[in-house]
mmCIF file of all heavy atoms in Angstrom:
data_model
loop_
_atom_site.group_PDB
_atom_site.id
_atom_site.type_symbol
_atom_site.label_atom_id
_atom_site.label_comp_id
_atom_site.label_asym_id
_atom_site.label_seq_id
_atom_site.Cartn_x
_atom_site.Cartn_y
_atom_site.Cartn_z
ATOM 1 N N THR A 218 76.937 73.210 48.517
ATOM 2 C CA THR A 218 77.135 73.470 49.932
ATOM 3 C C THR A 218 78.601 73.254 50.269
ATOM 4 O O THR A 218 79.298 72.487 49.617
ATOM 5 C CB THR A 218 76.280 72.538 50.818
ATOM 6 O OG1 THR A 218 76.661 71.176 50.562
ATOM 7 C CG2 THR A 218 74.803 72.716 50.520
ATOM 8 N N HIS A 219 79.076 73.941 51.312
ATOM 9 C CA HIS A 219 80.471 73.798 51.714
ATOM 10 C C HIS A 219 80.607 74.221 53.169
ATOM 11 O O HIS A 219 79.745 74.910 53.717
ATOM 12 C CB HIS A 219 81.388 74.639 50.819
ATOM 13 C CG HIS A 219 81.015 76.078 50.735
ATOM 14 N ND1 HIS A 219 81.375 76.998 51.675
ATOM 15 C CD2 HIS A 219 80.278 76.743 49.800
ATOM 16 C CE1 HIS A 219 80.900 78.188 51.341
ATOM 17 N NE2 HIS A 219 80.234 78.062 50.217
ATOM 18 N N PRO A 220 81.680 73.796 53.852
ATOM 19 C CA PRO A 220 81.884 74.222 55.238
ATOM 20 C C PRO A 220 81.962 75.734 55.335
ATOM 21 O O PRO A 220 82.529 76.396 54.468
ATOM 22 C CB PRO A 220 83.212 73.565 55.614
ATOM 23 C CG PRO A 220 83.354 72.412 54.672
ATOM 24 C CD PRO A 220 82.724 72.884 53.383
ATOM 25 N N ALA A 221 81.391 76.274 56.387
ATOM 26 C CA ALA A 221 81.398 77.718 56.571
ATOM 27 C C ALA A 221 82.822 78.246 56.576
ATOM 28 O O ALA A 221 83.685 77.741 57.274
ATOM 29 C CB ALA A 221 80.700 78.080 57.885
ATOM 30 N N GLY A 222 83.084 79.259 55.742
ATOM 31 C CA GLY A 222 84.386 79.883 55.663
ATOM 32 C C GLY A 222 85.401 79.156 54.812
ATOM 33 O O GLY A 222 86.530 79.605 54.668
ATOM 34 N N ALA A 223 85.017 78.025 54.193
ATOM 35 C CA ALA A 223 85.964 77.232 53.416
ATOM 36 C C ALA A 223 86.041 77.723 51.988
ATOM 37 O O ALA A 223 85.135 78.367 51.472
ATOM 38 C CB ALA A 223 85.562 75.758 53.422
ATOM 39 N N SER A 224 87.152 77.395 51.330
ATOM 40 C CA SER A 224 87.287 77.662 49.907
ATOM 41 C C SER A 224 86.282 76.827 49.134
ATOM 42 O O SER A 224 85.943 75.713 49.525
ATOM 43 C CB SER A 224 88.693 77.308 49.439
ATOM 44 O OG SER A 224 88.765 77.284 48.021
ATOM 45 N N THR A 225 85.787 77.346 48.010
ATOM 46 C CA THR A 225 84.829 76.593 47.206
ATOM 47 C C THR A 225 85.478 76.010 45.955
ATOM 48 O O THR A 225 84.798 75.616 45.030
ATOM 49 C CB THR A 225 83.647 77.497 46.788
ATOM 50 O OG1 THR A 225 84.140 78.596 46.030
ATOM 51 C CG2 THR A 225 82.899 77.990 48.008
ATOM 52 N N THR A 226 86.808 75.956 45.895
ATOM 53 C CA THR A 226 87.482 75.380 44.746
ATOM 54 C C THR A 226 87.676 73.887 44.966
ATOM 55 O O THR A 226 88.214 73.461 45.979
ATOM 56 C CB THR A 226 88.842 76.048 44.517
ATOM 57 O OG1 THR A 226 88.631 77.432 44.278
ATOM 58 C CG2 THR A 226 89.554 75.434 43.314
ATOM 59 N N ALA A 227 87.229 73.069 44.004
ATOM 60 C CA ALA A 227 87.321 71.622 44.169
ATOM 61 C C ALA A 227 87.415 70.957 42.814
ATOM 62 O O ALA A 227 87.227 71.585 41.773
ATOM 63 C CB ALA A 227 86.110 71.099 44.934
ATOM 64 N N THR A 228 87.711 69.674 42.842
ATOM 65 C CA THR A 228 87.752 68.890 41.621
ATOM 66 C C THR A 228 86.985 67.596 41.831
ATOM 67 O O THR A 228 87.255 66.850 42.768
ATOM 68 C CB THR A 228 89.203 68.562 41.225
ATOM 69 O OG1 THR A 228 89.918 69.773 41.033
ATOM 70 C CG2 THR A 228 89.238 67.749 39.931
ATOM 71 N N ALA A 229 86.012 67.352 40.997
ATOM 72 C CA ALA A 229 85.280 66.082 40.967
ATOM 73 C C ALA A 229 85.154 65.722 39.500
ATOM 74 O O ALA A 229 84.427 66.382 38.760
ATOM 75 C CB ALA A 229 83.910 66.215 41.625
ATOM 76 N N VAL A 230 85.888 64.715 39.050
ATOM 77 C CA VAL A 230 86.083 64.524 37.617
ATOM 78 C C VAL A 230 85.172 63.485 36.985
ATOM 79 O O VAL A 230 85.168 63.326 35.764
ATOM 80 C CB VAL A 230 87.547 64.150 37.319
ATOM 81 C CG1 VAL A 230 88.488 65.279 37.729
ATOM 82 C CG2 VAL A 230 87.939 62.842 38.013
ATOM 83 N N ALA A 231 84.407 62.757 37.805
ATOM 84 C CA ALA A 231 83.611 61.657 37.256
ATOM 85 C C ALA A 231 82.468 61.325 38.210
ATOM 86 O O ALA A 231 82.322 61.935 39.282
ATOM 87 C CB ALA A 231 84.495 60.419 37.046
ATOM 88 N N TYR A 232 81.668 60.361 37.831
ATOM 89 C CA TYR A 232 80.632 59.825 38.712
ATOM 90 C C TYR A 232 81.256 59.416 40.051
ATOM 91 O O TYR A 232 82.316 58.799 40.078
ATOM 92 C CB TYR A 232 79.997 58.615 38.027
ATOM 93 C CG TYR A 232 78.957 57.893 38.831
ATOM 94 C CD1 TYR A 232 77.715 58.460 39.073
ATOM 95 C CD2 TYR A 232 79.213 56.621 39.336
ATOM 96 C CE1 TYR A 232 76.748 57.792 39.805
ATOM 97 C CE2 TYR A 232 78.262 55.937 40.056
ATOM 98 C CZ TYR A 232 77.031 56.531 40.297
ATOM 99 O OH TYR A 232 76.084 55.851 41.016
ATOM 100 N N GLN A 233 80.628 59.802 41.162
ATOM 101 C CA GLN A 233 81.153 59.543 42.502
ATOM 102 C C GLN A 233 82.507 60.214 42.745
ATOM 103 O O GLN A 233 83.298 59.756 43.569
ATOM 104 C CB GLN A 233 81.242 58.044 42.778
ATOM 105 C CG GLN A 233 79.904 57.355 42.966
ATOM 106 C CD GLN A 233 79.215 57.739 44.278
ATOM 107 O OE1 GLN A 233 79.819 57.722 45.335
ATOM 108 N NE2 GLN A 233 77.953 58.094 44.188
ATOM 109 N N GLY A 234 82.794 61.275 42.010
ATOM 110 C CA GLY A 234 83.906 62.147 42.346
ATOM 111 C C GLY A 234 85.205 61.887 41.631
ATOM 112 O O GLY A 234 85.765 62.776 41.012
ATOM 113 N N SER A 235 85.714 60.655 41.713
ATOM 114 C CA SER A 235 87.029 60.361 41.161
ATOM 115 C C SER A 235 86.937 59.246 40.122
ATOM 116 O O SER A 235 85.893 58.623 39.937
ATOM 117 C CB SER A 235 87.989 59.930 42.278
ATOM 118 O OG SER A 235 87.637 58.641 42.760
ATOM 119 N N THR A 236 88.051 58.966 39.464
ATOM 120 C CA THR A 236 88.062 57.899 38.458
ATOM 121 C C THR A 236 87.895 56.515 39.078
ATOM 122 O O THR A 236 87.544 55.568 38.384
ATOM 123 C CB THR A 236 89.369 57.922 37.648
ATOM 124 O OG1 THR A 236 90.482 57.736 38.532
ATOM 125 C CG2 THR A 236 89.509 59.237 36.896
ATOM 126 N N THR A 237 88.138 56.395 40.378
ATOM 127 C CA THR A 237 87.904 55.131 41.068
ATOM 128 C C THR A 237 86.571 55.118 41.806
ATOM 129 O O THR A 237 86.232 54.148 42.476
ATOM 130 C CB THR A 237 89.036 54.825 42.067
ATOM 131 O OG1 THR A 237 89.197 55.936 42.952
ATOM 132 C CG2 THR A 237 90.342 54.572 41.335
ATOM 133 N N HIS A 238 85.811 56.205 41.705
ATOM 134 C CA HIS A 238 84.446 56.296 42.258
ATOM 135 C C HIS A 238 84.414 56.080 43.766
ATOM 136 O O HIS A 238 83.562 55.358 44.284
ATOM 137 C CB HIS A 238 83.511 55.317 41.550
ATOM 138 C CG HIS A 238 83.553 55.405 40.061
ATOM 139 N ND1 HIS A 238 83.695 56.600 39.384
ATOM 140 C CD2 HIS A 238 83.489 54.446 39.098
ATOM 141 C CE1 HIS A 238 83.715 56.373 38.079
ATOM 142 N NE2 HIS A 238 83.598 55.075 37.881
ATOM 143 N N GLU A 239 85.342 56.715 44.468
ATOM 144 C CA GLU A 239 85.387 56.577 45.925
ATOM 145 C C GLU A 239 84.159 57.170 46.603
ATOM 146 O O GLU A 239 83.677 56.655 47.608
ATOM 147 C CB GLU A 239 86.641 57.241 46.465
ATOM 148 C CG GLU A 239 87.937 56.608 45.988
ATOM 149 C CD GLU A 239 89.121 57.483 46.327
ATOM 150 O OE1 GLU A 239 89.455 57.587 47.522
ATOM 151 O OE2 GLU A 239 89.700 58.071 45.402
ATOM 152 N N GLY A 240 83.697 58.297 46.071
ATOM 153 C CA GLY A 240 82.467 58.888 46.596
ATOM 154 C C GLY A 240 82.571 59.401 48.019
ATOM 155 O O GLY A 240 81.564 59.561 48.696
ATOM 156 N N GLY A 241 83.772 59.670 48.512
ATOM 157 C CA GLY A 241 83.923 60.085 49.896
ATOM 158 C C GLY A 241 84.636 61.406 50.033
ATOM 159 O O GLY A 241 84.980 62.064 49.059
ATOM 160 N N SER A 242 84.861 61.793 51.263
ATOM 161 C CA SER A 242 85.592 63.016 51.564
ATOM 162 C C SER A 242 86.419 62.763 52.812
ATOM 163 O O SER A 242 86.280 61.742 53.483
ATOM 164 C CB SER A 242 84.630 64.189 51.779
ATOM 165 O OG SER A 242 83.762 63.916 52.866
ATOM 166 N N ASP A 243 87.298 63.702 53.155
ATOM 167 C CA ASP A 243 88.125 63.509 54.335
ATOM 168 C C ASP A 243 87.596 64.322 55.511
ATOM 169 O O ASP A 243 86.541 64.931 55.439
ATOM 170 C CB ASP A 243 89.587 63.815 54.028
ATOM 171 C CG ASP A 243 89.812 65.271 53.647
ATOM 172 O OD1 ASP A 243 89.014 66.123 54.071
ATOM 173 O OD2 ASP A 243 90.793 65.541 52.928
ATOM 174 N N ASP A 244 88.364 64.316 56.613
ATOM 175 C CA ASP A 244 87.874 64.912 57.851
ATOM 176 C C ASP A 244 87.796 66.431 57.812
ATOM 177 O O ASP A 244 87.322 67.043 58.773
ATOM 178 C CB ASP A 244 88.765 64.482 59.022
ATOM 179 C CG ASP A 244 88.588 63.016 59.366
ATOM 180 O OD1 ASP A 244 87.560 62.450 58.963
ATOM 181 O OD2 ASP A 244 89.486 62.444 60.017
ATOM 182 N N SER A 245 88.280 67.061 56.737
ATOM 183 C CA SER A 245 88.192 68.521 56.678
ATOM 184 C C SER A 245 86.772 69.001 56.388
ATOM 185 O O SER A 245 86.476 70.174 56.527
ATOM 186 C CB SER A 245 89.157 69.065 55.608
ATOM 187 O OG SER A 245 88.728 68.700 54.309
ATOM 188 N N VAL A 246 85.891 68.102 55.976
ATOM 189 C CA VAL A 246 84.498 68.474 55.719
ATOM 190 C C VAL A 246 83.679 68.190 56.968
ATOM 191 O O VAL A 246 83.457 67.039 57.324
ATOM 192 C CB VAL A 246 83.925 67.699 54.520
ATOM 193 C CG1 VAL A 246 82.463 68.072 54.300
ATOM 194 C CG2 VAL A 246 84.732 68.008 53.274
ATOM 195 N N ARG A 247 83.275 69.240 57.637
ATOM 196 C CA ARG A 247 82.542 69.102 58.885
ATOM 197 C C ARG A 247 81.417 70.120 58.941
ATOM 198 O O ARG A 247 81.495 71.183 58.345
ATOM 199 C CB ARG A 247 83.471 69.298 60.087
ATOM 200 C CG ARG A 247 84.586 68.249 60.202
ATOM 201 C CD ARG A 247 85.464 68.507 61.404
ATOM 202 N NE ARG A 247 86.521 67.522 61.515
ATOM 203 C CZ ARG A 247 87.451 67.531 62.467
ATOM 204 N NH1 ARG A 247 87.445 68.481 63.380
ATOM 205 N NH2 ARG A 247 88.384 66.593 62.489
ATOM 206 N N ALA A 248 80.384 69.796 59.693
ATOM 207 C CA ALA A 248 79.315 70.753 59.952
ATOM 208 C C ALA A 248 79.870 71.904 60.801
ATOM 209 O O ALA A 248 80.846 71.729 61.532
ATOM 210 C CB ALA A 248 78.171 70.055 60.660
ATOM 211 N N PRO A 249 79.271 73.087 60.722
ATOM 212 C CA PRO A 249 78.083 73.381 59.927
ATOM 213 C C PRO A 249 78.420 73.674 58.463
ATOM 214 O O PRO A 249 79.477 74.217 58.167
ATOM 215 C CB PRO A 249 77.525 74.633 60.604
ATOM 216 C CG PRO A 249 78.755 75.334 61.130
ATOM 217 C CD PRO A 249 79.691 74.239 61.557
ATOM 218 N N LEU A 250 77.523 73.283 57.576
ATOM 219 C CA LEU A 250 77.641 73.624 56.169
ATOM 220 C C LEU A 250 76.751 74.816 55.865
ATOM 221 O O LEU A 250 75.759 75.064 56.544
ATOM 222 C CB LEU A 250 77.228 72.436 55.298
ATOM 223 C CG LEU A 250 78.014 71.137 55.495
ATOM 224 C CD1 LEU A 250 77.458 70.058 54.576
ATOM 225 C CD2 LEU A 250 79.492 71.348 55.239
ATOM 226 N N GLN A 251 77.117 75.545 54.820
ATOM 227 C CA GLN A 251 76.281 76.662 54.408
ATOM 228 C C GLN A 251 75.968 76.531 52.921
ATOM 229 O O GLN A 251 76.787 76.038 52.148
ATOM 230 C CB GLN A 251 76.969 77.998 54.682
ATOM 231 C CG GLN A 251 78.254 78.224 53.892
ATOM 232 C CD GLN A 251 78.930 79.528 54.257
ATOM 233 O OE1 GLN A 251 78.657 80.094 55.314
ATOM 234 N NE2 GLN A 251 79.816 79.991 53.404
#
């Protein structure tokens, strides 16, 4: 799933996304998702 109209290119390299396992995202991810 991704924000409507957003690029679908991303990087998640490990469990919980990053090597430090932050597991989060920033404010650019907002509803509605498609």
